Amino acid sequence: MKVLMVGAEVAPLAKVGGLADVMAALPPALADLGVEVAVAMPCYRGVREQVDVRPAATIVVPVGEQEISCTVLETRLPGSEVPLYLLSNDPYFDRPQIYGEGGGDYPDSLERFTFLSRGALAVPEAVGWIPQVIHAHDWHTALIPLFVRAGAGPSGVRSMLTIHNLAHQGTFSLEQEGVTGLPGELREYIKQEDQLNLLQGGIKGSDMITTVSPTYAREILEQEGRLKEALRARAQDLFGVLNGIDQHTWDPEADPYLWEPYSADDLSGKAVNKASLQRVMGLEDDPRRPVVGMVTRLAEQKGLDLVLEELDRLMGLGIQLVVLGTGEPRYEQGLQEAQARFPGQIAVFIGFSEPLAHRVEAGSDMFLMPSRFEPCGLNQLYSLRYGTVPVVRATGGLADTVREGQAGNGFTFAEYRAEALAAALERAVEVYRSEQPRWNDIVQQGMRGDYSWRRSAEAYLKLYRRLARES
Ligand code: ADP
Ligand code: GLC
């Protein structure tokens, strides 16, 4: 089986959220199963400097009225043998950020990702390696299935679209419709009444659709948003495959960012990480206080409203709160105000920091994810592996991975309400304080679970085979 994956983020080269982690870890897991897999992504600023590249081909990519010449650089996915193709066009990608600066997306986003989608389809022929399946991720590459239908890719190639987040659909004004260069009938696929919607095009045009957890697959069929009709019409071709985690990058026994390694058999190092985290974050040095961590994009999806709304009640539980995040200014500001109100008890770091993300995972006792919705969520899985008990809203992938009660590995709440969150955290704090053996069981359940990519990669391989058979 030969598969080309295309996406806008690949860790550690270019990362905003979990998409990057998936793009980095799923391909090597597929390669371990014998799949011949390659990845294509944009050559953003700074990427060339992080890897050894060689020019592999020059392609010409039509975008609107232009014919853009593009050098395809070849390298390997860091830490693996998987070929990685970088599509370079500096006017589009040599910029400070991946998607945009100051909150919004770059105004030429449609052009940039049309270029990526169309360009990626030209790579196979240019480098002499022909895949059977093109696997596109999220709206940035959702035009790929349509270009395949228009005959732009290798002949007979099948398309899969993975939806990592239905909240991001790639919408643009109708005036821009010429940019994609799609022929008339396929252009209809991306039209909604008043706008263009790239994800809709991918949903309508791809041979198969997946999303990143079984529960989210059900939820997106039930939701009332703009894409509900398009999704329901493809319900037979929609599958939920739970993400795994990169067990090398996220391994408390061998994580170079930690102050002290630890394992399920010997948790003494975890206490060292907690004390160090408290110290560097300016929290009161008190081993008995439960430290609650969050590492998150500061976006509406992530439920920060609930935290800020019930802040007094939450802090009244005697916890310490550590938040690492960046995103919408209203949350950044709200969190900074919270820190000022509870000095020594709340520590907020606004920014993106891979080392600190690992340290928060290791040094916290609990990890909070009160998401409004969560397609999969990776941080709760990192937390489980790090013996940091997740307290989550039971939605999407969080519902599929965190269980409370008999043989539970965490604490959950159902309703998107601040009181429900506070009650769940209260239960967690109660067990932490007064039922040490039960707490230890919960930690052990989490640490001994299997979150490897292997299972998910097997599920994808099955779907690829099915696609190839159907052709
Ligand atoms: P999403 O993709 O919706 O942001 P996930 O839980 O799937 O949510 O993945 C988020 C990923 O991004 C995790 O690897 C997390 O550690 C990382 N991350 C998010 N915010 C930050 C940050 N400020 N600093 C470092 N890593 C972050
Ligand atoms: C998205 C989702 C997140 C998921 C990630 C990787 O960004 O918000 O829940 O884990 O993609 O699939």
Side-chain angles (χ1 to χ4, degrees):
M1 176 60 60
K2 295 183 184 177
V3 181
L4 175 64
M5 296 232 176
V6 193
E9 298 176 33
V10 178
L13 303 173
K15 170 162 166 176
V16 174
L19 169 64
D21 297 14
V22 175
M23 290 293 300
L26 173 58
L30 286 165
D32 286 344
L33 299 178
V35 178
E36 257 188 66
V37 54
V39 179
M41 69 177 281
C43 189
Y44 299 108
R45 177 178 294 179
V47 169
R48 273 189 207 92
E49 291 71 34
Q50 294 178 60
V51 282
D52 290 327
V53 295
R54 67 168 192 95
T58 303
I59 54 175
V60 175
V61 187
V63 177
E65 302 291 299
Q66 312 165 66
E67 298 268 314
I68 300 175
S69 170
C70 159
T71 308
V72 180
L73 301 169
E74 184 177 351
T75 178
R76 305 271 150 182
L77 263 187
S80 86
E81 289 301 308
V82 173
L84 172 64
Y85 296 106
L86 302 168
L87 277 76
S88 60
N89 179 40
D90 287 350
Y92 285 154
F93 300 126
D94 184 14
R95 300 184 186 178
Q97 298 294 329
I98 294 176
Y99 299 123
E101 292 154 59
D105 281 354
Y106 289 121
D108 57 353
S109 288
L110 180 57
E111 273 185 52
R112 300 171 80 223
F113 292 113
T114 296
F115 173 84
L116 170 65
S117 303
R118 191 70 200 265
L121 282 175
V123 168
E125 198 176 321
V127 302
W129 176 80
I130 307 298
Q132 291 149 284
V133 175
I134 306 247
H135 186 166
H137 294 260
D138 271 352
W139 74 263
H140 324 97
T141 55
L143 288 173
I144 285 181
L146 301 181
F147 288 134
V148 166
R149 279 178 185 258
S155 94
V157 76
R158 309 278 288 160
S159 63
M160 178 187 279
L161 171 72
T162 294
I163 300 172
H164 292 263
N165 196 336
L166 199 65
H168 302 288
Q169 301 183 0
T171 55
F172 300 93
S173 72
L174 285 170
E175 291 89 78
Q176 293 196 68
E177 67 169 296
V179 171
T180 65
L182 283 169
E185 74 282 10
L186 290 170
R187 212 177 270 193
E188 292 308 309
Y189 282 36
I190 58 171
K191 279 196 199 159
Q192 280 179 339
E193 315 81 74
D194 52 346
Q195 62 181 11
L196 303 176
N197 186 313
L198 267 51
L199 197 62
Q200 172 181 289
I203 291 167
K204 289 189 170 182
S206 63
D207 294 316
M208 196 181 268
I209 305 158
T210 72
T211 187
V212 289
S213 69
T215 295
Y216 193 62
R218 279 195 301 280
E219 287 172 353
I220 60 178
L221 289 173
E222 287 157 12
Q223 50 87 38
E224 290 302 322
R226 276 175 171 260
L227 293 179
K228 75 168 187 226
E229 298 304 335
L231 282 163
R232 285 179 201 170
R234 298 296 313 271
Q236 296 302 317
D237 303 311
L238 170 68
F239 301 90
V241 181
L242 197 66
N243 288 331
I245 64 172
D246 183 331
Q247 294 190 314
H248 299 295
T249 311
W250 295 93
D251 177 3
E253 284 186 70
D255 185 331
Y257 295 125
L258 301 199
W259 286 283
E260 187 86 26
Y262 61 94
S263 67
D265 294 329
D266 178 5
L267 278 158
S268 53
K270 189 162 173 65
V272 176
N273 284 291
K274 175 173 175 174
S276 306
L277 184 68
Q278 285 174 317
R279 180 168 37 77
V280 300
M281 295 301 286
L283 293 169
E284 265 170 36
D285 164 22
D286 182 350
R288 285 161 313 169
R289 283 214 184 217
V291 173
V292 179
M294 293 184 84
V295 178
T296 179
R297 289 184 292 117
L298 300 177
E300 205 187 354
Q301 169 187 350
K302 300 296 180 180
L304 293 142
D305 299 291
L306 299 191
V307 176
L308 295 173
E309 210 177 290
E310 278 286 333
L311 195 61
D312 289 287
R313 178 162 168 203
L314 300 185
M315 298 318 291
L317 297 172
I319 60 164
Q320 293 182 343
L321 183 64
V322 181
V323 187
L324 164 62
T326 171
E328 291 180 31
R330 58 180 166 145
Y331 297 123
E332 294 189 351
Q333 214 179 328
L335 286 166
Q336 272 160 338
E337 281 164 18
Q339 171 174 253
R341 278 188 54 213
F342 293 92
Q345 305 305 326
I346 297 185
V348 176
F349 184 94
I350 302 295
F352 192 95
S353 164
E354 194 69 34
L356 190 53
H358 288 246
R359 289 170 183 159
V360 172
E361 285 291 1
S364 302
D365 298 295
M366 301 169 196
F367 197 90
L368 187 58
M369 290 180 77
S371 304
R372 196 183 282 270
F373 62 91
E374 196 61 75
C376 178
L378 295 171
N379 275 307
Q380 82 279 15
L381 300 175
Y382 302 151
S383 303
L384 289 166
R385 189 115 202 272
Y386 278 61
T388 303
V389 174
V391 179
V392 307
R393 175 152 181 267
T395 178
L398 295 172
D400 292 335
T401 53
V402 182
R403 309 172 303 275
E404 181 169 346
Q406 190 70 24
N409 59 6
F411 294 83
T412 68
F413 62 100
E415 273 179 281
Y416 188 77
R417 278 192 313 120
E419 303 90 80
L421 155 66
L425 196 58
E426 205 166 330
R427 291 195 298 281
V429 170
E430 185 54 33
V431 176
Y432 175 87
R433 286 231 171 88
S434 336
E435 298 181 61
Q436 196 60 43
R438 195 170 142 212
W439 184 261
N440 293 342
D441 286 346
I442 296 171
V443 168
Q444 291 293 331
Q445 278 291 341
M447 293 188 85
R448 295 183 193 277
D450 175 9
Y451 316 106
S452 69
W453 266 107
R454 189 177 177 91
R455 261 192 317 195
S456 326
E458 280 166 357
Y460 278 110
L461 178 53
K462 243 193 209 151
L463 295 175
Y464 295 149
R465 288 202 174 119
R466 178 161 160 174
L467 267 178
R469 258 202 316 275
E470 282 169 0
S471 65

